Coordinates of all heavy atoms in Angstrom, one line a residue:
M464 N -55.8 -80.5 130.2 CA -56.6 -81.6 129.9 C -55.9 -82.9 130.4 O -54.7 -83.0 130.4 CB -56.7 -81.7 128.4 CG -57.8 -82.6 127.9 SD -59.5 -81.9 128.0 CE -59.8 -81.6 126.3
K465 N -56.7 -83.8 130.9 CA -56.1 -85.0 131.4 C -55.5 -85.9 130.3 O -56.0 -85.9 129.2 CB -57.2 -85.9 132.1 CG -57.7 -85.2 133.4 CD -58.7 -86.2 134.0 CE -59.2 -85.6 135.3 NZ -60.2 -86.5 135.9
K466 N -54.4 -86.5 130.6 CA -53.8 -87.4 129.7 C -54.7 -88.7 129.5 O -55.1 -89.2 130.5 CB -52.4 -87.8 130.2 CG -51.6 -88.6 129.2 CD -50.2 -88.9 129.7 CE -49.5 -89.8 128.7 NZ -48.1 -90.1 129.1
D467 N -54.9 -89.1 128.3 CA -55.7 -90.2 128.0 C -57.1 -90.1 128.6 O -57.7 -91.1 129.1 CB -55.1 -91.5 128.5 CG -53.7 -91.8 127.8 OD1 -53.6 -91.4 126.6 OD2 -52.8 -92.3 128.5
A468 N -57.7 -88.9 128.5 CA -59.1 -88.7 129.0 C -60.1 -89.3 128.1 O -59.8 -89.4 126.9 CB -59.4 -87.2 129.2
P469 N -61.2 -89.8 128.6 CA -62.2 -90.4 127.7 C -62.7 -89.3 126.7 O -62.7 -88.1 127.0 CB -63.3 -90.9 128.6 CG -62.9 -90.5 130.0 CD -61.6 -89.8 130.0
A470 N -63.2 -89.8 125.6 CA -63.7 -88.9 124.6 C -64.8 -88.0 125.1 O -64.9 -86.8 124.8 CB -64.2 -89.7 123.3
W471 N -65.7 -88.6 125.9 CA -66.9 -87.8 126.4 C -66.4 -86.6 127.3 O -67.0 -85.6 127.3 CB -67.9 -88.7 127.2 CG -67.3 -89.3 128.4 CD1 -66.7 -90.5 128.5 CD2 -67.2 -88.7 129.7 NE1 -66.3 -90.8 129.8 CE2 -66.6 -89.6 130.6 CE3 -67.7 -87.5 130.3 CZ2 -66.4 -89.4 131.9 CZ3 -67.4 -87.2 131.6 CH2 -66.8 -88.2 132.4
Y472 N -65.3 -86.9 128.0 CA -64.8 -85.8 128.9 C -64.2 -84.7 128.1 O -64.4 -83.5 128.4 CB -63.7 -86.4 129.8 CG -63.1 -85.4 130.8 CD1 -63.7 -85.0 132.0 CD2 -61.9 -84.7 130.5 CE1 -63.2 -84.1 132.8 CE2 -61.4 -83.8 131.3 CZ -62.0 -83.5 132.5 OH -61.5 -82.5 133.3
E473 N -63.4 -85.0 127.1 CA -62.8 -84.0 126.2 C -63.9 -83.2 125.5 O -63.8 -82.0 125.4 CB -61.9 -84.7 125.2 CG -60.6 -85.2 125.8 CD -59.7 -85.8 124.8 OE1 -59.9 -85.6 123.6 OE2 -58.7 -86.5 125.2
E474 N -65.0 -83.9 125.0 CA -66.1 -83.2 124.4 C -66.8 -82.2 125.3 O -67.0 -81.1 125.0 CB -67.0 -84.2 123.8 CG -68.1 -83.6 123.0 CD -69.1 -84.7 122.5 OE1 -68.6 -85.7 122.0 OE2 -70.3 -84.4 122.5
M475 N -67.0 -82.7 126.5 CA -67.6 -81.8 127.6 C -66.8 -80.6 127.9 O -67.2 -79.5 128.0 CB -67.9 -82.6 128.8 CG -68.6 -81.8 129.9 SD -68.7 -82.7 131.5 CE -67.0 -82.9 131.9
H476 N -65.5 -80.9 128.0 CA -64.5 -79.8 128.3 C -64.5 -78.7 127.2 O -64.5 -77.5 127.5 CB -63.1 -80.4 128.6 CG -62.1 -79.3 128.8 ND1 -62.0 -78.7 130.0 CD2 -61.2 -78.8 128.0 CE1 -61.0 -77.8 129.9 NE2 -60.5 -77.9 128.7
E477 N -64.5 -79.2 126.0 CA -64.5 -78.3 124.8 C -65.8 -77.4 124.8 O -65.7 -76.2 124.5 CB -64.3 -79.1 123.5 CG -64.1 -78.2 122.3 CD -62.8 -77.4 122.3 OE1 -61.9 -77.7 123.1 OE2 -62.8 -76.5 121.5
R478 N -66.9 -78.0 125.0 CA -68.2 -77.3 125.1 C -68.2 -76.2 126.1 O -68.6 -75.1 125.9 CB -69.4 -78.2 125.3 CG -69.8 -78.9 124.0 CD -71.2 -79.5 124.2 NE -71.4 -80.3 125.4 CZ -71.3 -81.6 125.5 NH1 -70.9 -82.3 124.4 NH2 -71.5 -82.2 126.6
Q479 N -67.7 -76.6 127.3 CA -67.6 -75.6 128.4 C -66.6 -74.5 128.1 O -66.9 -73.3 128.4 CB -67.2 -76.3 129.7 CG -68.2 -77.2 130.3 CD -67.7 -78.0 131.5 OE1 -66.5 -78.1 131.7 NE2 -68.7 -78.5 132.3
R480 N -65.5 -74.8 127.5 CA -64.5 -73.8 127.1 C -65.1 -72.8 126.1 O -64.9 -71.6 126.3 CB -63.3 -74.5 126.6 CG -62.1 -73.5 126.3 CD -61.0 -74.2 125.5 NE -61.4 -74.5 124.2 CZ -61.5 -73.6 123.2 NH1 -61.3 -72.4 123.4 NH2 -61.9 -74.0 122.0
K481 N -65.8 -73.3 125.1 CA -66.4 -72.4 124.1 C -67.5 -71.5 124.7 O -67.6 -70.4 124.4 CB -66.9 -73.2 122.9 CG -65.9 -73.8 122.0 CD -66.4 -74.5 120.9 CE -65.3 -75.0 120.0 NZ -65.9 -75.7 118.8
A482 N -68.3 -72.1 125.6 CA -69.4 -71.3 126.3 C -68.7 -70.2 127.1 O -69.2 -69.0 127.1 CB -70.2 -72.2 127.1
H483 N -67.7 -70.5 127.8 CA -67.0 -69.5 128.6 C -66.4 -68.4 127.8 O -66.5 -67.2 128.0 CB -65.9 -70.2 129.5 CG -65.2 -69.2 130.3 ND1 -63.9 -68.7 130.0 CD2 -65.5 -68.6 131.5 CE1 -63.5 -67.9 130.9 NE2 -64.4 -67.8 131.8
S484 N -65.8 -68.8 126.7 CA -65.2 -67.9 125.7 C -66.2 -66.9 125.1 O -66.0 -65.7 125.0 CB -64.4 -68.6 124.6 OG -63.9 -67.8 123.7
S485 N -67.4 -67.5 124.8 CA -68.4 -66.7 124.2 C -68.9 -65.6 125.2 O -69.2 -64.5 124.8 CB -69.6 -67.5 123.8 OG -69.2 -68.4 122.7
R486 N -69.0 -66.0 126.5 CA -69.5 -65.0 127.5 C -68.4 -64.0 127.7 O -68.6 -62.8 127.8 CB -69.8 -65.7 128.8 CG -71.1 -66.4 128.7 CD -71.6 -66.9 130.1 NE -70.6 -67.8 130.7 CZ -70.5 -69.1 130.6 NH1 -71.4 -69.8 129.9 NH2 -69.6 -69.8 131.2
R487 N -67.1 -64.4 127.7 CA -66.0 -63.5 128.1 C -65.8 -62.5 127.0 O -65.5 -61.3 127.3 CB -64.7 -64.3 128.2 CG -63.6 -63.5 128.6 CD -62.3 -64.3 128.7 NE -61.2 -63.5 128.8 CZ -60.3 -63.5 129.8 NH1 -60.4 -64.5 130.7 NH2 -59.3 -62.7 129.8
I488 N -65.9 -62.8 125.7 CA -65.7 -61.9 124.6 C -66.6 -60.7 124.7 O -66.2 -59.6 124.4 CB -65.7 -62.6 123.2 CG1 -65.0 -61.7 122.2 CG2 -67.1 -63.0 122.8 CD1 -63.6 -61.5 122.3
R489 N -67.8 -60.9 125.1 CA -68.8 -59.8 125.2 C -68.3 -58.8 126.2 O -68.4 -57.6 126.0 CB -70.2 -60.3 125.5 CG -70.8 -61.1 124.4 CD -72.2 -61.6 124.8 NE -72.7 -62.6 123.9 CZ -73.2 -63.7 124.2 NH1 -73.4 -64.0 125.4 NH2 -73.7 -64.5 123.2
I490 N -67.8 -59.3 127.3 CA -67.3 -58.5 128.4 C -66.1 -57.7 128.0 O -65.9 -56.5 128.2 CB -67.1 -59.3 129.7 CG1 -68.4 -59.8 130.2 CG2 -66.4 -58.5 130.7 CD1 -68.3 -60.8 131.3
E491 N -65.2 -58.4 127.3 CA -63.9 -57.8 126.8 C -64.2 -56.7 125.8 O -63.6 -55.6 125.9 CB -63.0 -58.9 126.1 CG -62.5 -59.9 127.1 CD -61.5 -59.4 128.1 OE1 -60.9 -58.3 127.8 OE2 -61.3 -60.1 129.1
H492 N -65.2 -56.9 124.9 CA -65.6 -55.8 124.0 C -66.2 -54.6 124.7 O -65.9 -53.5 124.4 CB -66.6 -56.4 123.0 CG -65.9 -57.2 121.9 ND1 -66.6 -58.0 121.0 CD2 -64.6 -57.5 121.6 CE1 -65.8 -58.6 120.2 NE2 -64.6 -58.3 120.6
G493 N -67.0 -54.9 125.7 CA -67.6 -53.8 126.5 C -66.5 -53.0 127.2 O -66.6 -51.8 127.2
I494 N -65.5 -53.7 127.8 CA -64.5 -52.9 128.5 C -63.7 -52.1 127.5 O -63.3 -50.9 127.7 CB -63.5 -53.9 129.2 CG1 -64.3 -54.5 130.4 CG2 -62.2 -53.3 129.7 CD1 -63.6 -55.7 131.0
A495 N -63.4 -52.7 126.3 CA -62.6 -51.9 125.3 C -63.4 -50.7 124.8 O -62.9 -49.6 124.6 CB -62.3 -52.8 124.1
H496 N -64.7 -50.9 124.7 CA -65.6 -49.8 124.3 C -65.5 -48.6 125.3 O -65.4 -47.4 124.9 CB -67.0 -50.3 124.1 CG -68.0 -49.2 123.7 ND1 -68.1 -48.8 122.4 CD2 -68.9 -48.6 124.4 CE1 -69.0 -47.9 122.3 NE2 -69.6 -47.7 123.5
L497 N -65.6 -49.0 126.6 CA -65.5 -47.9 127.6 C -64.2 -47.2 127.6 O -64.1 -46.0 127.8 CB -65.8 -48.6 129.0 CG -67.2 -49.0 129.3 CD1 -67.3 -49.8 130.6 CD2 -68.2 -47.8 129.3
K498 N -63.1 -48.0 127.4 CA -61.8 -47.4 127.4 C -61.6 -46.4 126.2 O -61.0 -45.3 126.3 CB -60.7 -48.5 127.2 CG -60.5 -49.2 128.5 CD -59.4 -50.2 128.3 CE -59.1 -51.0 129.6 NZ -58.0 -52.0 129.4
N499 N -62.2 -46.7 125.1 CA -62.2 -45.8 123.9 C -62.9 -44.5 124.2 O -62.3 -43.4 123.9 CB -62.8 -46.4 122.7 CG -62.0 -47.5 122.1 OD1 -60.8 -47.6 122.3 ND2 -62.6 -48.4 121.4
W500 N -64.0 -44.6 124.9 CA -64.8 -43.3 125.2 C -64.1 -42.6 126.3 O -64.1 -41.3 126.3 CB -66.2 -43.6 125.5 CG -67.0 -43.9 124.3 CD1 -67.5 -45.1 123.9 CD2 -67.3 -43.0 123.3 NE1 -68.1 -45.0 122.7 CE2 -68.0 -43.7 122.3 CE3 -67.1 -41.6 123.1 CZ2 -68.5 -43.1 121.1 CZ3 -67.6 -41.0 121.9 CH2 -68.3 -41.7 121.0
R501 N -63.4 -43.3 127.2 CA -62.7 -42.6 128.3 C -61.5 -41.8 127.7 O -61.3 -40.6 128.0 CB -62.2 -43.6 129.3 CG -61.5 -42.9 130.5 CD -61.0 -43.9 131.5 NE -62.1 -44.7 132.0 CZ -62.1 -46.0 132.2 NH1 -61.0 -46.7 131.9 NH2 -63.1 -46.6 132.6
A502 N -60.8 -42.4 126.7 CA -59.7 -41.7 126.1 C -60.2 -40.5 125.3 O -59.6 -39.4 125.3 CB -59.0 -42.7 125.1
L503 N -61.4 -40.6 124.7 CA -61.9 -39.5 123.9 C -62.4 -38.4 124.8 O -62.2 -37.2 124.5 CB -63.1 -40.0 123.1 CG -63.7 -39.1 122.1 CD1 -62.7 -38.7 121.0 CD2 -64.9 -39.7 121.4
S504 N -62.9 -38.7 126.0 CA -63.3 -37.7 127.0 C -62.2 -36.9 127.5 O -62.3 -35.8 128.0 CB -64.2 -38.3 128.1 OG -63.4 -39.0 128.9
R505 N -61.0 -37.5 127.5 CA -59.8 -36.8 128.0 C -59.0 -36.1 126.9 O -57.9 -35.7 127.1 CB -58.9 -37.8 128.7 CG -59.4 -38.4 129.9 CD -58.4 -39.4 130.5 NE -59.0 -40.1 131.7 CZ -58.6 -41.2 132.1 NH1 -57.6 -41.8 131.6 NH2 -59.1 -41.7 133.2
H506 N -59.7 -35.9 125.8 CA -59.0 -35.3 124.7 C -58.5 -33.9 125.0 O -59.3 -33.0 125.4 CB -60.0 -35.2 123.5 CG -59.4 -34.5 122.3 ND1 -58.4 -35.1 121.5 CD2 -59.7 -33.4 121.7 CE1 -58.1 -34.4 120.5 NE2 -58.8 -33.3 120.6
L507 N -57.2 -33.7 124.9 CA -56.6 -32.4 125.2 C -56.1 -31.7 124.0 O -55.4 -30.7 124.1 CB -55.5 -32.6 126.2 CG -55.9 -33.2 127.6 CD1 -54.7 -33.5 128.4 CD2 -56.8 -32.3 128.3
G508 N -56.3 -32.2 122.8 CA -55.8 -31.6 121.6 C -56.7 -30.4 121.2 O -57.4 -29.8 122.0
R509 N -56.6 -30.1 119.9 CA -57.2 -28.9 119.4 C -58.7 -29.2 119.3 O -59.2 -30.1 118.7 CB -56.7 -28.6 118.0 CG -55.2 -28.4 118.1 CD -54.6 -28.0 116.7 NE -55.3 -26.7 116.3 CZ -54.6 -25.6 116.1 NH1 -53.3 -25.6 116.1 NH2 -55.2 -24.5 115.7
R510 N -59.5 -28.3 119.9 CA -60.9 -28.4 120.1 C -61.6 -28.4 118.7 O -62.7 -29.0 118.5 CB -61.5 -27.4 121.0 CG -61.0 -27.4 122.4 CD -61.5 -28.6 123.1 NE -61.0 -28.6 124.5 CZ -60.9 -29.7 125.2 NH1 -61.3 -30.8 124.8 NH2 -60.4 -29.6 126.4
E511 N -61.1 -27.7 117.7 CA -61.8 -27.5 116.4 C -61.8 -28.9 115.7 O -62.6 -29.0 114.8 CB -61.1 -26.4 115.6 CG -59.7 -26.7 115.2 CD -58.7 -26.0 116.2 OE1 -59.1 -25.6 117.3 OE2 -57.6 -25.9 115.8
H512 N -61.0 -29.8 116.1 CA -61.0 -31.1 115.4 C -61.9 -32.2 116.2 O -62.0 -33.3 115.7 CB -59.5 -31.7 115.3 CG -58.6 -30.9 114.5 ND1 -58.8 -30.6 113.2 CD2 -57.5 -30.2 114.9 CE1 -57.9 -29.9 112.7 NE2 -57.0 -29.6 113.7
M513 N -62.4 -31.8 117.3 CA -63.1 -32.7 118.1 C -64.4 -33.2 117.4 O -64.7 -34.4 117.5 CB -63.5 -32.0 119.4 CG -64.1 -33.0 120.5 SD -62.8 -34.1 120.9 CE -63.6 -35.0 122.2
S514 N -65.1 -32.4 116.7 CA -66.3 -32.9 116.0 C -65.9 -33.9 114.9 O -66.7 -34.9 114.7 CB -67.1 -31.8 115.4 OG -66.4 -31.1 114.4
D515 N -64.8 -33.8 114.2 CA -64.4 -34.7 113.2 C -64.0 -36.1 113.9 O -64.4 -37.1 113.4 CB -63.2 -34.2 112.5 CG -63.5 -33.0 111.6 OD1 -64.7 -32.9 111.2 OD2 -62.6 -32.3 111.3
I516 N -63.4 -36.0 115.1 CA -63.0 -37.2 115.8 C -64.2 -37.9 116.3 O -64.3 -39.2 116.1 CB -62.1 -36.8 117.0 CG1 -60.7 -36.3 116.5 CG2 -61.9 -38.1 117.9 CD1 -59.9 -35.7 117.5
V517 N -65.2 -37.2 116.8 CA -66.4 -37.8 117.3 C -67.2 -38.5 116.2 O -67.7 -39.6 116.3 CB -67.3 -36.8 118.0 CG1 -68.7 -37.4 118.3 CG2 -66.7 -36.3 119.3
Q518 N -67.3 -37.9 115.0 CA -67.9 -38.5 113.8 C -67.2 -39.7 113.4 O -67.8 -40.7 113.0 CB -68.0 -37.5 112.7 CG -69.1 -36.4 112.9 CD -69.2 -35.4 111.8 OE1 -68.2 -35.2 111.1 NE2 -70.3 -34.8 111.6
A519 N -65.9 -39.7 113.4 CA -65.1 -40.9 113.0 C -65.3 -42.0 113.9 O -65.5 -43.2 113.5 CB -63.6 -40.5 112.9
V520 N -65.3 -41.8 115.2 CA -65.5 -42.8 116.2 C -67.0 -43.4 116.1 O -67.2 -44.6 116.1 CB -65.3 -42.3 117.7 CG1 -65.7 -43.3 118.7 CG2 -63.8 -42.0 117.8
A521 N -67.9 -42.5 115.9 CA -69.3 -42.9 115.7 C -69.5 -43.8 114.5 O -70.2 -44.8 114.5 CB -70.3 -41.7 115.6
G522 N -68.8 -43.4 113.4 CA -68.8 -44.3 112.2 C -68.2 -45.6 112.4 O -68.7 -46.6 112.0
L523 N -67.1 -45.7 113.1 CA -66.4 -46.9 113.4 C -67.3 -47.8 114.3 O -67.4 -49.0 114.1 CB -65.0 -46.7 114.0 CG -64.0 -46.1 113.1 CD1 -62.8 -45.7 113.9 CD2 -63.6 -47.1 112.0
L524 N -67.9 -47.2 115.3 CA -68.7 -47.9 116.2 C -69.9 -48.5 115.5 O -70.3 -49.6 115.7 CB -69.2 -47.0 117.4 CG -70.1 -47.7 118.4 CD1 -69.4 -48.9 119.1 CD2 -70.4 -46.7 119.5
S525 N -70.5 -47.7 114.6 CA -71.7 -48.1 113.8 C -71.3 -49.3 113.0 O -72.0 -50.3 112.9 CB -72.2 -47.0 113.0 OG -73.3 -47.4 112.2
H526 N -70.2 -49.2 112.3 CA -69.7 -50.3 111.5 C -69.5 -51.6 112.3 O -69.8 -52.7 111.9 CB -68.4 -50.0 110.7 CG -67.8 -51.1 110.0 ND1 -68.4 -51.5 108.8 CD2 -66.7 -51.8 110.2 CE1 -67.7 -52.6 108.3 NE2 -66.7 -52.8 109.2
Q527 N -68.8 -51.4 113.5 CA -68.6 -52.6 114.4 C -69.9 -53.2 114.8 O -70.0 -54.5 114.8 CB -67.8 -52.1 115.6 CG -67.5 -53.3 116.6 CD -67.0 -52.8 117.9 OE1 -67.0 -51.6 118.2 NE2 -66.5 -53.7 118.7
Q528 N -70.9 -52.4 115.2 CA -72.1 -53.0 115.6 C -72.8 -53.8 114.5 O -73.4 -54.8 114.8 CB -73.0 -51.9 116.2 CG -72.5 -51.4 117.5 CD -73.3 -50.3 118.1 OE1 -74.0 -49.6 117.3 NE2 -73.2 -50.0 119.4
T529 N -72.8 -53.2 113.3 CA -73.5 -53.9 112.2 C -72.7 -55.2 111.8 O -73.3 -56.2 111.4 CB -73.7 -53.0 111.0 OG1 -72.5 -52.5 110.6 CG2 -74.7 -51.9 111.3
A530 N -71.4 -55.1 111.9 CA -70.6 -56.3 111.5 C -70.7 -57.4 112.5 O -70.4 -58.6 112.2 CB -69.1 -55.9 111.4
T531 N -71.1 -57.2 113.8 CA -71.2 -58.2 114.8 C -72.6 -58.6 115.1 O -72.8 -59.3 116.1 CB -70.4 -57.8 116.1 OG1 -71.0 -56.6 116.5 CG2 -69.0 -57.5 115.8
L532 N -73.6 -58.2 114.3 CA -74.9 -58.6 114.6 C -75.1 -60.1 114.4 O -74.4 -60.7 113.6 CB -75.9 -57.9 113.6 CG -76.2 -56.5 113.9 CD1 -77.0 -55.9 112.7 CD2 -76.9 -56.2 115.2
P533 N -75.9 -60.8 115.3 CA -76.1 -62.2 115.2 C -76.6 -62.6 113.8 O -77.5 -61.9 113.2 CB -77.1 -62.5 116.2 CG -77.1 -61.4 117.2 CD -76.7 -60.2 116.4
G534 N -76.0 -63.6 113.2 CA -76.4 -64.0 111.9 C -75.8 -63.3 110.7 O -75.9 -63.7 109.6
S535 N -75.0 -62.2 111.0 CA -74.3 -61.5 109.9 C -72.9 -62.0 109.9 O -72.3 -62.5 110.8 CB -74.4 -60.0 110.1 OG -73.6 -59.6 111.2
R536 N -72.3 -61.8 108.7 CA -70.9 -62.2 108.6 C -70.0 -60.9 108.5 O -70.4 -59.9 108.0 CB -70.7 -62.9 107.3 CG -71.4 -64.2 107.3 CD -71.2 -65.0 106.0 NE -71.9 -66.2 106.1 CZ -71.5 -67.3 105.6 NH1 -70.4 -67.4 105.0 NH2 -72.2 -68.4 105.7
P537 N -68.9 -60.9 109.2 CA -68.0 -59.8 109.2 C -67.6 -59.4 107.8 O -67.4 -60.3 106.9 CB -66.8 -60.2 110.0 CG -67.2 -61.4 110.8 CD -68.4 -62.0 110.0
A538 N -67.5 -58.1 107.5 CA -67.1 -57.7 106.2 C -65.6 -57.9 105.9 O -64.8 -58.0 106.8 CB -67.4 -56.2 106.0

């Protein structure tokens, strides 16, 4: 930020920063989601536990999606 910048400039900069952050967080969450499923697809552990793992991940994903709906508050 510029030293001794006018108030209007600082306000504009802050609005732009927040807008960029809002767009970026959606992309970051999408990348994290893909990484989680990639790790799950490479599962080399015991196959009899795979259905439990898939159910756990599905439950966590469902909770995450409902907790981040617009207008809702995180639990």
Side-chain angles (χ1 to χ4, degrees):
M464 196 78 106
K465 291 182 176 181
K466 187 176 180 180
D467 299 324
W471 64 267
Y472 179 83
E473 289 182 12
E474 185 179 316
M475 179 186 65
H476 177 76
E477 186 66 15
R478 279 196 312 266
Q479 289 174 343
R480 188 190 65 74
K481 285 183 180 183
H483 179 261
S484 178
S485 293
R486 287 189 304 269
R487 182 182 169 129
I488 195 68
R489 292 181 191 134
I490 293 168
E491 295 290 340
H492 284 169
I494 291 169
H496 181 76
L497 291 173
K498 285 182 178 180
N499 287 337
W500 283 109
R501 185 177 302 134
L503 191 59
S504 71
R505 292 181 183 159
H506 179 69
L507 299 174
R509 301 182 64 120
R510 300 288 181 201
E511 62 266 17
H512 298 297
M513 192 62 176
S514 65
D515 293 335
I516 293 170
V517 170
Q518 285 180 333
V520 170
L523 290 170
L524 180 59
S525 176
H526 174 72
Q527 177 192 12
Q528 288 175 341
T529 58
T531 57
L532 287 174
S535 69
R536 293 181 183 217

